[in-house]
Structure formats: C-alpha cells, structure tokens
Amino acid sequence: MAAPARFRDARTSVGRYARSGAAEQMRRALGHYVRSGYGGSATMGRRLNGTSRTAARLGAVLQPGTQPDLTAARDAAIAGGKNAQSVLDAIVEAIRPVDGTQDAEASRRAVRDALSDVLDRYPEADLLDLDDTQRKFVVERFVGLDVYNRFCLDLGQKLDEHAASASIAAARFAEVREYIAATVAAAFDKLWASGVTPASPDLARVTQGALRETFRVFEEYLE
C-alpha cells in the first residue's frame, strides 16, 4: 500500500522550484521524490523493473545482424521510403507495443525521443545500423527520459500549477528533463567504462544498477 501523502514533500519542493527556478529546490524535489515518494533508491529501482526490461530489449533490438525483431522495422522503413519517421514508428512498435497503460505510453514516448535525440547528436546515424557509441547513447537516454516521464506523471501537474507562465513551466520541465538524463548518463558512464555494452545479456540487471545509483544521488541531496 502506498503511504498517505507520500509525494507531499516532493510536491512542496516542486512548487517552490516552479516559482523560483532555484536549482536547490529542484534537487530537493528529486530527493523527496525518491525517499518519501518511492521509499528510497533501492525500492524505487525495483519499482522501475519495466524500465530496465525495456532498456535491455532496446539494446538487443538495436544490435546489428542479431535482431530478428527489426525485420518488420526494416520492411516498414523500406515501404515508407526509409524515412526517419517510418523507422522510428517501426522500432518503437518492436520494442514497446501498445497495451493501453500509462507506463507503456510513457515508455514508448521515451524510446521515440531517445531515437530522435541520437539523430540530433549524430546526424549521419542510421537507426537500423547504429554504432556502439550511438547504441550506448540511445539506451542511457531512454532510461533518463523514462524516469523523467514517470516524474511528470507523478508531479508534473504541481509544476504546471505553480509556474508563472506556460513558457516558464516549459523551461522548468526542460531543465528537470536534462538534469535527470545527465545523472542517468553519468551512472551509465561508469558501467560502460567497466566493459558493459548494450549487447550484454544482463543489460536489464545493469540498468537496475544505474537506476539505483541515480536515485542514490538524488537522495543525497537531502543530506
């Protein structure tokens, strides 16, 4: 059972951040979000098992020459003239099919945004033939965006309500998005340096470790 008012402290800090834009309040909001909202870094890491499983599937599907699930994606891309939109649609469908839940929709959006972001960072990238650096970027970016999307589901309304204008709210959301993504990327950097790759058979477990490290960092903001 969820604790009563479990997001109360996080909402208070989010409201203060929305009004002031103070980075300290954003960090405190993330700390309370993990600690009281989800019961700590270890518990929140376990709650995001779906994120870890999707990250592992994303890493596997994007491996060149070993991804039978991308046959349909490749066929759809060719039928659509191999334009980026048709490739994005096909890969998202292969990795996270629609099931009508909020979690699935949030994950689908995170997959799509991560693939779009890799094209922004590497304009010459071929989504059906990414190199190792590009695959690492997509995996860590997806995880960061999926955490951000969950944050928005839980606390986004509070941020919207307390921002002085729509443009300020958008700027605040963008700052939280990049802050979470950067923290997740830093956790993955340690794992990539240890020899882990997106092709690792235990990528789901590895992703769990990156999530726990990210949430531990957030909790430390309260100390």
Side-chain angles (χ1 to χ4, degrees), residues 16 22 24 26-27 34 44 47 52 62 64 74 79 82 93 103 133 141 144 155 163 168 177 190 193-194 205 209 212:
R16 290 172 179 166
E24 179 185 357
M26 178 184 67
R27 291 192 291 268
V34 173
M44 189 170 181
R47 290 284 297 274
S52 300
L62 294 180
R74 191 178 297 277
K82 205 177 180 183
E93 193 60 35
D103 282 353
T133 297
R141 189 69 174 172
L155 298 173
I168 289 175
R177 181 181 191 262
K190 298 176 184 178
S194 72
R205 181 187 59 79
R212 285 194 301 272

Side-chain angles (χ1 to χ4, degrees), residues 161-179:
E161 289 174 353
H162 288 273
S165 67
S167 62
I168 289 175
R172 302 280 194 266
F173 277 115
E175 186 174 19
V176 174
R177 181 181 191 262
E178 293 311 311
Y179 196 87

Side-chain angles (χ1 to χ4, degrees), residues 132-151:
D132 192 54
T133 297
Q134 293 161 356
R135 288 192 296 275
K136 288 177 179 177
F137 176 83
V138 171
V139 169
E140 65 189 36
R141 189 69 174 172
F142 158 73
V143 174
L145 295 177
D146 208 36
V147 173
Y148 165 75
N149 287 342
R150 182 173 291 267
F151 175 90

Side-chain angles (χ1 to χ4, degrees), residues 45 48-49 51-57 188 191 194 196 200-213:
L48 268 64
N49 273 336
T51 299
S52 300
R53 290 194 300 270
T54 302
R57 182 162 176 77
F188 268 104
L191 299 170
S194 72
V196 172
S200 298
D202 59 347
L203 185 59
R205 181 187 59 79
V206 168
T207 300
Q208 282 280 293
L211 286 169
R212 285 194 301 272
E213 171 65 14

Side-chain angles (χ1 to χ4, degrees), residues 67-217:
Q67 65 280 51
D69 288 323
L70 269 192
T71 300
R74 191 178 297 277
D75 291 345
I78 292 171
K82 205 177 180 183
N83 63 72
Q85 188 64 43
S86 64
V87 175
L88 280 170
D89 289 342
I91 294 176
V92 169
E93 193 60 35
I95 292 167
R96 195 66 163 92
V98 173
D99 67 10
T101 65
Q102 280 189 323
D103 282 353
E105 287 307 307
S107 288
R108 285 169 63 86
R109 186 164 64 252
V111 171
R112 174 179 289 278
D113 289 347
L115 292 169
S116 295
D117 288 350
V118 78
L119 293 177
D120 288 340
R121 175 166 290 199
Y122 305 99
E124 301 305 316
D126 179 351
L127 290 176
L128 296 175
D129 189 23
L130 297 176
D131 64 29
D132 192 54
T133 297
Q134 293 161 356
R135 288 192 296 275
K136 288 177 179 177
F137 176 83
V138 171
V139 169
E140 65 189 36
R141 189 69 174 172
F142 158 73
V143 174
L145 295 177
D146 208 36
V147 173
Y148 165 75
N149 287 342
R150 182 173 291 267
F151 175 90
C152 289
L153 286 173
D154 291 331
L155 298 173
Q157 183 177 353
K158 192 70 173 179
L159 196 158
D160 249 337
E161 289 174 353
H162 288 273
S165 67
S167 62
I168 289 175
R172 302 280 194 266
F173 277 115
E175 186 174 19
V176 174
R177 181 181 191 262
E178 293 311 311
Y179 196 87
I180 291 174
T183 307
V184 169
F188 268 104
D189 281 346
K190 298 176 184 178
L191 299 170
W192 303 140
S194 72
V196 172
T197 74
S200 298
D202 59 347
L203 185 59
R205 181 187 59 79
V206 168
T207 300
Q208 282 280 293
L211 286 169
R212 285 194 301 272
E213 171 65 14
T214 297
F215 300 146
R216 183 192 63 77
V217 169

